Amino acid sequence: MNATPLKIAFDAKRALLNTTGLGNYSRYVIATMALLYPKNQYLLYSPSAARESLKSRVEGFTGLPNVTTVLPRGGWRRAGSLWRSMEIPIQAAGDGVDVYHGLSNELPLNLKQTGIPSVVTIHDVIWRRIPQDYAWIDRHLYDFKYGRSARSASRIIAISQKTKEDVVNDFGVDPERIDVIYQSCDPAFSQHIDPTRREEIKAKYKLPERFILSVGTIQSRKNQLLAVKGLRGLPADVRLAIVGRRTRPYADEIDRYIASNHLTDRVMWLTDVPFADLPYLYALARCSSYTSRYEGFGLPVVESLSVGTPVIAATGSCLEEAGGKAAVYVGPDDVDAYIHEASRLVDDAYYHDRLAKEAPRQARRFDTKRMAEQTMATYQKAILSHIL
């Protein structure tokens, strides 16, 4: 525990407004630090209040007495993006902030000039590895904003060893300034799976006895098409359930493949799935599939392992760090290898159960208390770097 209480500021835009990965990470860090280090004060800087759809997921920390949401004042209310880039440091300095944490790759442009110690979490450099998924202007904007933040931050948190290596190589950052801190997943994935609720979820989504679950935005980088192609070599009763927001043109490409290969009855698209249902979907699946071509960490791998469901993941980025020995790995374009591993997981009870027993052990590597302690140590190092 830190001896002297701190006033810690967070860039909370995505925590209060974003429903996907960066939002989940932001909410997880804020809630964990506020609950495990209650003597500190936490200021959540956001251009607007929490979205209605996220209120149930943020009230667990926004309602704490040591957490305050800070919104733009005066005319800045109509210029949220500019306020986030330029005005937050001025407000933070006036608020007596001890350390500022940019939770999603970036820091305000003029934060360094205020003298406030800073930490930035860098999640990945995906736009550099998979440029076709990003517009030209976005790639150059990210190079500027994220690269500048990495070079100017007092300390950097990388969410995997792979991300640390990428930040060093792509942005020329001293590796001694980077701390690798693995995140855990929402506690909902490690809670007891209620048998009654499990059957309700199975009926709600009309799930078969044997299916593979794929969770993630439907986009080319996530590579869900590999799992769809793999269905051709699996028993006819095995289906694929895909959970995620559809993006074009990749979702259309998958639709065309499904139609031309007569797989319509074997692929289930589950949309608008409530977060509370996800642990049960993982638990019901024979295995989960996460064959992304590139990730900074791969949280769905840990989510699946936390409920005891083995994973088929892709080689080539950091997924081996997340899955360890509880997952199996195939090349992102190797359909035959995918069919081989999926067949063993759905048909070979011994093989499946061996990985399932290993899953919770691997998931425990991503411990919430350890993450909090390491994050607090990074804050202290950032503060110390401004004293020395």
Side-chain angles (χ1 to χ4, degrees):
M1 300 289 283
N2 53 304
T4 303
L6 299 175
K7 186 172 283 190
I8 299 168
F10 290 112
D11 173 6
K13 174 186 174 181
R14 287 182 170 83
L16 301 184
L17 304 176
N18 189 300
T19 60
T20 55
L22 292 179
N24 291 336
Y25 172 83
S26 298
R27 286 184 286 274
Y28 165 69
V29 171
I30 293 170
T32 299
M33 300 307 292
L35 289 167
L36 295 187
Y37 293 91
K39 292 183 179 179
N40 295 327
Q41 290 295 313
Y42 301 90
L43 305 182
L44 313 186
Y45 290 88
S46 173
S48 62
R51 290 174 56 176
E52 189 65 35
S53 61
L54 285 172
K55 283 187 177 178
S56 64
R57 293 176 62 185
V58 303
E59 61 188 9
F61 58 85
T62 55
L64 295 173
N66 59 343
V67 176
T68 303
T69 301
V70 182
L71 303 177
R73 307 167 190 160
W76 289 108
R77 295 170 186 164
R78 295 186 295 275
S81 295
L82 188 59
W83 172 82
R84 188 164 169 256
S85 296
M86 300 295 295
E87 181 64 13
I88 282 180
I90 298 171
Q91 284 192 221
D95 291 334
V97 164
D98 293 301
V99 63
Y100 181 96
H101 188 173
L103 292 163
S104 52
N105 301 316
E106 62 183 304
L107 297 171
L109 294 175
N110 57 337
L111 180 63
K112 193 170 185 178
Q113 287 88 312
T114 67
I116 297 174
S118 61
V119 173
V120 64
T121 297
I122 301 293
H123 295 262
D124 54 65
V125 294
I126 290 174
W127 73 96
R128 286 175 154 253
R129 299 295 179 269
I130 315 288
Q132 62 271 24
D133 278 2
Y134 297 83
W136 179 90
I137 187 63
D138 288 337
R139 297 199 307 270
H140 285 267
L141 182 63
Y142 297 159
D143 271 342
F144 170 72
K145 290 199 306 181
Y146 301 166
R148 186 181 190 278
S149 296
R151 288 185 286 269
S152 67
S154 307
R155 300 292 303 181
I156 298 168
I157 292 174
I159 64 169
S160 68
Q161 185 63 39
K162 175 62 176 174
T163 294
K164 177 177 179 176
E165 294 169 2
D166 288 343
V167 170
V168 171
N169 294 331
D170 286 49
F171 298 142
V173 173
D174 181 354
E176 294 300 315
R177 289 178 47 230
I178 305 175
D179 299 315
V180 175
I181 302 179
Y182 291 118
Q183 67 182 101
S184 183
C185 58
D186 192 283
F189 294 93
S190 55
Q191 293 176 359
H192 173 69
I193 297 296
D194 178 69
T196 302
R197 178 66 175 153
R198 178 187 173 111
E199 291 305 308
E200 290 173 352
I201 294 295
K202 184 178 180 180
K204 176 180 178 179
Y205 295 103
K206 300 180 174 60
L207 297 169
E209 286 299 319
R210 301 201 300 176
F211 71 95
I212 298 170
L213 179 70
S214 175
V215 176
T217 302
I218 293 84
Q219 58 183 172
S220 60
R221 172 174 62 87
K222 298 293 188 181
N223 196 30
Q224 288 95 343
L225 188 55
L226 178 63
V228 175
K229 290 180 177 179
L231 286 174
R232 295 178 306 167
L234 297 176
D237 68 313
V238 177
R239 299 176 71 184
L240 174 67
I242 303 177
V243 177
R245 179 174 58 87
R246 289 169 58 94
T247 66
R248 302 176 72 179
Y250 187 63
D252 294 338
E253 180 184 350
I254 295 177
D255 287 338
R256 287 192 295 271
Y257 185 90
I258 290 171
S260 62
N261 287 274
H262 311 290
L263 295 170
T264 303
D265 292 338
R266 298 187 63 187
V267 178
M268 307 172 66
W269 296 97
L270 307 184
T271 58
D272 299 321
V273 172
F275 181 79
D277 291 355
L278 278 178
Y280 287 89
L281 290 175
Y282 279 117
L284 284 161
R286 187 65 178 168
C287 66
S288 70
S289 176
Y290 199 66
T291 52
S292 179
R293 296 181 183 278
Y294 181 91
E295 292 293 332
F297 178 57
L299 187 59
V301 173
V302 179
E303 291 173 347
S304 184
L305 298 182
S306 294
V307 300
T309 299
V311 182
I312 305 173
T315 57
S317 61
C318 65
L319 298 182
E320 292 95 333
E321 291 183 61
K325 296 179 180 179
V328 294
Y329 307 94
V330 300
D333 296 300
D334 195 336
V335 179
D336 289 338
Y338 187 94
I339 292 171
H340 173 73
E341 292 298 344
S343 296
R344 294 183 72 189
L345 284 170
V346 299
D347 280 332
D348 186 335
Y350 174 79
Y351 184 66
H352 174 278
D353 293 349
R354 179 170 64 82
L355 289 174
K357 288 178 182 177
E358 182 66 30
R361 186 178 300 118
Q362 172 67 13
R364 282 195 291 272
R365 290 189 60 214
F366 308 102
D367 177 69
T368 296
K369 185 172 183 290
R370 182 185 300 122
M371 184 283 298
E373 292 171 346
Q374 292 174 332
T375 301
M376 184 55 65
T378 295
Y379 293 163
Q380 297 288 2
K381 283 188 278 188
I383 294 169
L384 186 61
S385 71
H386 281 245
I387 297 174
L388 297 177

